[in-house]
Structures are given as structure tokens and as C-alpha cells.
Amino acid sequence: MKKLVSTAFASFALFCLSTAALAAPPIKIGALFAVTGPASFLGEPERNTAQMVVDEINKAGGVKGRKLELITYDTGGDATKAVQLANKLVKNDKVVAIIGPSTTGDSMAIIPIVEKAQVPLISCAAGSKITEPVKKWVFKTAQNDGLAVAKIYEQLKKEKKTKVAILTVSDGFGASGREQLKAQAAHYGIQILSDDTYGPKDTDMTAQLAKIRGSQAQALICWGTNPGPAVIARNAKQLGLTIPVYMSHGVSSKKFIELAGDAAEGIKLPSGKVLVADLLPKTDKQKPSLLAFIKDYQNHFRAEGDHFGGHAWDAVMLLKGAIEKGGDTPAGIRNALENTRNFPGIGGVFSYSAKDHAGLTKDAFTLVEVRKKDWVLVK
Amino acid sequence: MELLNQVTQFVISGLATGSIYALIGLSFAIIFNSTGIINFAQGEFVMLGGVLTIFSLNVLHLPLLAAIVVAVAVTTIIGLVFERLAIRPLKNATPLMLIIITIGASILIRGLVMLLWGKDTQALPAFSGTDPISIAGATLLPQHLWIFGVTVLVIIGCRLFFNHTISGKAMRACSFNRRAANLVGISVGRMVLFSFVISAAVGALAGVIIAPLTMTAYDVGVMLGLKGFCAAIMGGMGSGLGTVLGGLILGTLESLGAGLISSGYKDAIAFFILLLILFIRPQGLFKKGETERV
């Protein structure tokens, strides 16, 4: 009993102190990330980064003198849970905006809720259908797959290669990449000679590659996430495949080079700029943001900041800018977001408009090549 | 000519993959032959072989050979403990119950490995370089030769063990008739334990030699286990040549299917063959129909 009284007193005292310190109540922001479950490799760095950025903003005095309060829930990558949690954020926590979720599935599931409640959402997932067609209250920070495809096709056009073979993984990521590769080919005057797939758990792709070797293709584009592309790189080397190999941004991490070993040499891929921040020219608008983010993340978590954390960094910073300009109401934030132009973030330079809630161009990606077990920029 | 080259490549790649399946299939058959149990944790023994080797190499900093020995030894001990704790205590259990226990064990092992070493895929360095070897217009990696070599050695070893040693013969006796074996003084319990130990060791060895090619992670056991099971079924669950041929045929058909028909159907081909054989020749492709004497 005594303990209870003292706890109650202590929390009351704390309450008085905190209200004394903050003249105005904090601005509540909701966050949904897949911190556990199969998409935890996305959700964990996102959660870490979002909390880190919010803490820093508060330490520097908050937004227009008011602190931010981040209310984070874990969706586990489960769309049903995401829907429940989004409802909770809107109805119980009364947040002014939501960042996340981490996956396209979760994001699509909660769009009806935020549209109905009229609360702006900044998704951290990559699927282009999140913002196509444009939904009034939905924005996103992760780069669309289509932009990566455009980056590769642009390079092929530069190298005057018009015939390609594509090899995509048979999961959601690969299917979306395959769709974009086929849809944009005509625009760049590219002909897809061979269109093969592989299973996410396959351990030998020599059959598909032998077939591609026998075709007239001048380049191979492979779309997948680890470990499949590493197997493909090794198999391609085994078969002595001489045509250049392009990979997707799905493998733009050091892990790919580690897995593929020597076979990774010479492979080119579009990548977000976090990976090569120190190689970028000084004129690059994103460079200061990138270096700050990488240093911060390193200090806080003793790990390298990655693209995924970057998506959350962008979401929080875009929100901060919108609150500064548009105030702390959901409608004000939405309008200010839509009018955000040339914001240099981690994922790219964002310019939202009434017609574009994804906000990025293909310059969000930079083409890199593996040389001597490290990345170099492709000029 | 180009097509011929391609087909050679398909066949050679298929044989290489097939010998992996064969080796895993053999380890299925060893347990089945002395206990009548299909051990669905077999794929996990394969996974443990690879993951433990990488752990010994990268964390304990052992040389490759020592790392392999440690990995196989530890997996063998896990197989032994598994038999003692999960299989032995059950008196009069039906094969179905035992099979369900092995499925449970496989989920447990997978979960523990995920917690201990995370979800990342890891690669083991190749034993003798990665310069491709050219054979009849097709190419192979030196690692494939290791796989062929080890598979042949394991088959010979199994043959000698089961046909020419007392323990091996005793294990076969148990598989034919447990009660009769017991009556002539064979300790059935010990033979069951032996079979788990041997098959864990063979599985782990398979996991080690394929890890440089296929890479490894906590969840690779599922698919490899299924393909190995498929090979064993094709061979009629015998611990000899039948299973090996089953594995090689499966690998080759998969590779030809992926190359000539469509790569989307690769796994479907394996499971289609499995179903077909279970319907038409449940005793396996290479066994003569046996008459059971009651």
C-alpha cells in the first residue's frame, strides 16, 4: 500500500514536472512497422530510425516549440493486425498523421481507414500501387520498382544494347519487377528475348542460364532478393556467361557481395544512395542528409544505416516540414505535404504534387557496379 | 549444335543437383530401413551441417577440415539426443505418431537455429576454388566433383556396412521383422539409435558439401528434405543404388524441365513425379514387388 501511494505520488510529480516543462501537449504521430515476422528486416531499422529522428527533433526543441510523440505499434507484417492497429491509432490515440507500414500488403490494407478518418499516411513500402492512382491522404517514401527498371533500361540504351533476357524470382517482389520490365521495354526500344523465373528457394539456376546463353540476348536482368541472385551470379560465372549482368535494387547491400564472392565482380545494379553516400559528388543535393543519417545510425545502433531506415527518416522529416508549414491538423499536414518540393531526403529528392504522391524520379537511384568486392559508381 | 550443348548442360547440372538429392535420400532410407520411420527432421540435419560449419569457421576460427568434423560430430550428437529423448521413450508408438514427432523436432530445430544465428543466408567458401571445369561442352564447378565423390563414397560405405558387418545386418534384420530380430538377441533399441546416428552424420555431411554451392540458412532444410524424400520414394526407400538413381533422375528431370519447358514448373515437376510414383509404383521404381509373408 505504501509502495502504491509513493508510486502514485511519484508519477503525479512527474506529470506536473513534464507539463510544466512543456507548455503545449506533444503532437502525436502514429507509426506502424513490421518489427517482428518475415518483414522484420524492413521494420526493425525503420522503427529504430523513426524513434531516433523524433528524439533528436525533440532534443533540438521540437517543431515550433512543441515536442513530437511517436506512438509505435508492431504489425508483424500481418495486414489484419495492421488494420486493427491503424484503427487504434486513429480512434484511441488520435494521431495527426501515420508513418509506415513497412510492407505493401499492410499499406494497401490500411488505406481505406486513413482515407475515411482523413489522416495523412506516409507509407514506407515500395509497391507503386500504393500511390497509383493518387489517393488524397496517402503518400510514400520508398522508391517505386519502376524507377529502378528505368535506371537499368537507360543504361542499356546508352550502351546500345536492345535485346535482353530477364530472370525474375517467383514472389511478390519479382512479379512486380517483371511487370515493370515488360511494361517499360517498348518505351526504351528494348526487346525481351527470354523471360524466365526461378523459385525463391531454388539452389541451382544453370538450366535457365544455359537457355539464356543460347539466346541472342545482349544483357541479363535478374530481379530478386538474397540469396537467389547470388546463386545466379555464381551459376553465370560457372557457365562462362559473357553478357553483362544487371541485378535489381533488391540486392543492394554488402551481403550480396559477400554471398556471391568473386562472381559478383562487374555486376551492375540500381541502388538507393545510402550505400554509396561517400562516393557521391559534392554537388549531390542528398549528400548532407545521407551522411548525417549514416553517422547518426552508426552512433545509436552500432550498425550501418540502410535504405529501409532511410524510408522512415524521410517520412519523419517530411512530416516535420509539413507540420512547420501547415500546422498540427491532419488537413493542414496533408496540404503542406502535397506542396512539398525539392526536399532532399535519404531515398531521393522528394517533390510531391496533386498528381504525384510518390514524389521521386529515377534519379533517386544511382547505378553502381561491383569492383574488387566494393561498389563503384557507374558514370 | 547449340541445342545439344544446352541439353548436355541441363543433364550435367541436373546430375549434380541430383546427387545432392540422392545423398539426402540415402539418409532418409537409412532410418526407414531399420525403424520404419520417415524422419522429417532429416532436412534439418542437412541444414545443421552447413550452418554449424560456417559457425565453426567464422566464430570459432577453426580450419575448414576441423570445422567440418565439428559440424558433423555435433549434428550426430543432436541426432543421438533426438532419438533418446523423443523416439525411445515412446513404447508401442505407431509409425504415424513417430512421424509427427519428427515433424515437431524439425520445427524446433529450425526455430532454435533462427534464434541463435539469425535469418541471414550465409555462404561457405568452396573447398577447391571456383574455376569452372568444362566437360563435353558443359561446365561444372569443382564443388560438384566433391559432391559426386562424397556421394559415391557414402554409397559404397553404406553397402559395405549393411551387407558385411554384424551391426549392419542386425539393422536390416530389425527393419524386416522387429520381433524376430529381438528374439534372436538383437537389441532393437540400439539399432534404432545407430540408424539415427548414421543418418544424422550422412545428412550433416551432405549439408556441408553443398553449402558452398547453394548457401545455407535456417530454413533450407525444408525443400532439401522434401526433394531427398522424393528421391528415396523413387528408390523404394532402399538404402542403396535405387535411391541414388532416384535422386539423379529427379535432378535431371527438374533441370530439363526448367530449361526446355518452363522454369516456373521446376518444383511442380518433383511433386508430380512423387505423386505419380506413390500412385503407380509405391514400392519404388527399381524394386521388384515384394510379397509380404505373414
Side-chain angles (χ1 to χ4, degrees):
Chain A
M1 192 63 206
K2 206 171 161 190
K3 202 174 166 195
L4 191 73
V5 172
S6 64
T7 329
F9 181 73
S11 45
F12 180 67
L14 202 70
F15 179 71
C16 292
L17 271 176
S18 59
T19 41
L22 299 169
I27 300 171
K28 286 184 182 173
I29 296 171
L32 298 172
F33 293 124
V35 183
T36 58
S40 61
F41 72 101
L42 302 168
E44 210 187 324
E46 285 169 353
R47 193 251 338 244
N48 289 350
T49 310
Q51 193 59 56
M52 176 183 91
V53 179
V54 167
D55 288 349
E56 266 159 25
I57 291 173
N58 287 341
K59 217 189 276 170
V63 183
K64 290 210 277 188
R66 289 178 65 188
K67 306 252 161 174
L68 297 181
E69 183 188 342
L70 192 70
I71 302 168
T72 313
Y73 295 126
D74 174 16
T75 67
D78 176 349
T80 320
K81 226 170 141 188
V83 168
Q84 290 166 354
L85 293 170
N87 268 320
K88 200 171 160 197
L89 282 175
V90 170
K91 291 192 181 128
N92 300 3
D93 301 318
K94 306 226 183 314
V95 296
V96 295
I98 299 175
I99 61 171
S102 314
T103 66
T104 304
D106 288 4
S107 301
M108 293 308 286
I110 71 164
I111 284 174
I113 298 170
V114 297
E115 287 280 302
K116 191 163 162 246
Q118 309 206 319
V119 169
L121 171 77
I122 307 181
S123 168
C124 294
S128 48
K129 55 189 171 186
I130 296 171
T131 52
E132 281 167 26
V134 173
K135 290 140 194 113
K136 193 176 173 198
W137 295 88
V138 183
F139 298 82
K140 73 195 274 277
T141 57
Q143 306 96 335
N144 285 340
D145 288 347
L147 301 178
V149 170
K151 198 81 195 171
I152 293 178
Y153 278 170
E154 202 179 50
Q155 176 70 18
L156 287 172
K157 210 175 163 189
K158 220 190 273 174
E159 293 176 9
K160 300 208 164 41
K161 297 194 164 75
T162 54
K163 292 173 185 146
V164 300
I166 64 175
L167 184 52
T168 55
V169 61
S170 56
D171 64 11
F173 181 74
S176 164
R178 181 164 172 254
E179 210 173 277
Q180 288 292 334
L181 282 164
K182 281 161 92 170
Q184 293 187 31
H187 177 72
Y188 288 89
I190 279 166
Q191 208 185 338
I192 296 174
L193 291 187
S194 135
D195 170 12
D196 283 286
T197 59
Y198 68 91
K201 296 251 167 268
D202 280 4
T203 51
D204 181 85
M205 280 66 137
T206 39
Q208 290 96 318
L209 290 169
K211 196 169 133 196
I212 290 165
R213 188 178 60 177
S215 74
Q216 299 294 314
Q218 295 163 317
L220 165 65
I221 304 173
C222 155
W223 216 262
T225 47
N226 287 327
V231 175
I232 290 174
R234 286 161 170 236
N235 286 164
K237 191 184 172 215
Q238 176 200 337
L239 293 179
L241 203 71
T242 48
I243 57 175
V245 179
Y246 287 81
M247 296 272 170
S248 73
H249 55 302
V251 295
S252 72
S253 71
K254 278 275 166 68
K255 189 82 202 165
F256 170 70
I257 302 184
E258 187 195 312
L259 289 176
D262 293 339
E265 291 296 308
I267 287 176
K268 291 180 194 143
L269 54 110
S271 161
K273 292 183 180 171
V274 179
L275 204 62
V276 288
D278 46 344
L279 302 179
L280 293 172
K282 282 209 180 74
T283 49
D284 194 292
K285 275 203 243 166
Q286 284 173 258
K287 194 161 180 170
S289 309
L290 289 167
L291 292 177
F293 164 62
I294 291 171
K295 202 172 141 210
D296 254 11
Y297 202 89
Q298 184 75 36
N299 287 343
H300 274 82
F301 304 108
R302 307 257 163 267
E304 266 178 58
D306 56 13
H307 310 300
F308 312 124
H311 300 329
W313 194 96
D314 291 340
V316 176
M317 294 304 272
L318 282 164
L319 211 50
K320 178 186 170 227
I323 295 172
E324 274 166 0
K325 285 194 207 95
D328 59 4
T329 61
I333 292 173
R334 192 211 83 88
N335 294 338
L337 271 176
E338 198 164 78
N339 290 318
T340 303
R341 302 275 186 280
N342 294 318
F343 168 77
I346 306 300
V349 178
F350 290 87
S351 289
Y352 290 131
S353 69
K355 280 188 196 137
D356 181 12
H357 282 195
L360 293 174
T361 64
K362 60 181 182 295
D363 294 329
F365 284 108
T366 177
L367 208 62
V368 297
E369 184 177 344
V370 183
R371 268 199 223 141
K372 298 201 179 105
K373 311 223 159 174
D374 206 350
W375 311 105
V376 293
L377 294 177
V378 175
K379 292 277 167 348
Chain B
M1 190 57 209
E2 186 49 54
L3 187 69
L4 186 70
N5 261 348
Q6 269 187 37
V7 172
T8 330
Q9 182 65 51
F10 295 156
V11 171
I12 292 206
S13 294
L15 289 176
T17 325
S19 49
I20 299 174
Y21 299 160
L23 207 49
I24 301 169
L26 269 182
S27 59
F28 267 104
I30 291 169
I31 289 186
F32 183 81
N33 268 339
S34 51
T35 61
I37 302 172
I38 294 161
N39 174 23
F40 280 105
Q42 200 59 50
E44 271 54 48
F45 291 153
V46 178
M47 176 270 289
L48 280 172
V51 169
L52 288 172
T53 310
I54 289 172
F55 172 74
S56 321
L57 263 186
N58 294 350
V59 182
L60 305 179
H61 299 292
L62 296 174
L64 185 62
L65 192 65
I68 293 173
V69 172
V70 167
V72 174
V74 172
T75 311
T76 311
I77 293 169
I78 291 172
L80 189 141
V81 170
F82 171 47
E83 198 276 341
R84 287 312 282 257
L85 294 184
I87 306 288
R88 170 98 42 117
L90 287 167
K91 299 271 183 275
N92 306 321
T94 60
L96 187 66
M97 282 164 72
L98 292 170
I99 285 170
I100 291 170
I101 285 172
T102 65
I103 293 176
S106 82
I107 296 171
L108 176 74
I109 295 173
R110 220 179 302 147
L112 286 177
V113 169
M114 189 188 85
L115 284 177
L116 284 172
W117 290 295
K119 287 190 261 187
D120 268 353
T121 307
Q122 287 168 302
L124 196 63
F127 297 171
S128 40
T130 52
D131 293 329
I133 303 163
S134 177
I135 297 171
T139 46
L140 269 183
L141 290 174
Q143 195 66 30
H144 287 126
L145 298 183
W146 278 97
I147 295 173
F148 285 132
V150 171
T151 308
V152 170
L153 284 182
V154 170
I155 299 164
I156 296 174
C158 278
R159 182 122 234 173
L160 289 176
F161 179 77
F162 282 109
N163 292 344
H164 300 280
T165 67
I166 299 288
S167 302
K169 286 178 185 168
M171 277 167 75
R172 283 202 303 156
C174 290
S175 81
F176 284 121
N177 191 329
R178 289 184 136 210
R179 245 183 99 183
N182 212 352
L183 285 176
V184 297
I186 296 170
S187 163
V188 175
R190 183 178 297 165
M191 293 308 135
V192 172
L193 183 67
F194 268 4
S195 70
F196 269 86
V197 166
I198 296 171
S199 96
V202 171
L205 196 63
V208 174
I209 58 171
I210 66 174
L213 269 188
T214 64
M215 290 170 250
T216 191
Y218 75 102
D219 61 347
V220 295
V222 184
M223 212 45 169
L224 287 172
L226 274 171
K227 296 283 172 67
F229 175 63
C230 203
I233 290 285
M234 285 172 84
M237 279 294 180
S239 57
L241 220 53
T243 302
V244 175
L245 285 175
L248 293 179
I249 291 174
L250 179 64
T252 315
L253 285 180
E254 260 189 18
S255 174
L256 284 172
L260 298 177
I261 306 170
S262 163
S263 43
Y265 298 132
K266 198 171 161 193
D267 291 333
I269 291 170
F271 298 123
F272 181 70
I273 295 172
L274 180 63
L275 285 179
L276 211 63
I277 289 173
L278 286 173
F279 277 127
I280 301 171
R281 279 189 72 90
Q283 75 272 33
L285 287 179
F286 311 103
K287 258 191 186 167
K288 294 196 184 84
E290 276 170 20
T291 45
E292 202 164 316
R293 267 171 285 180
V294 186

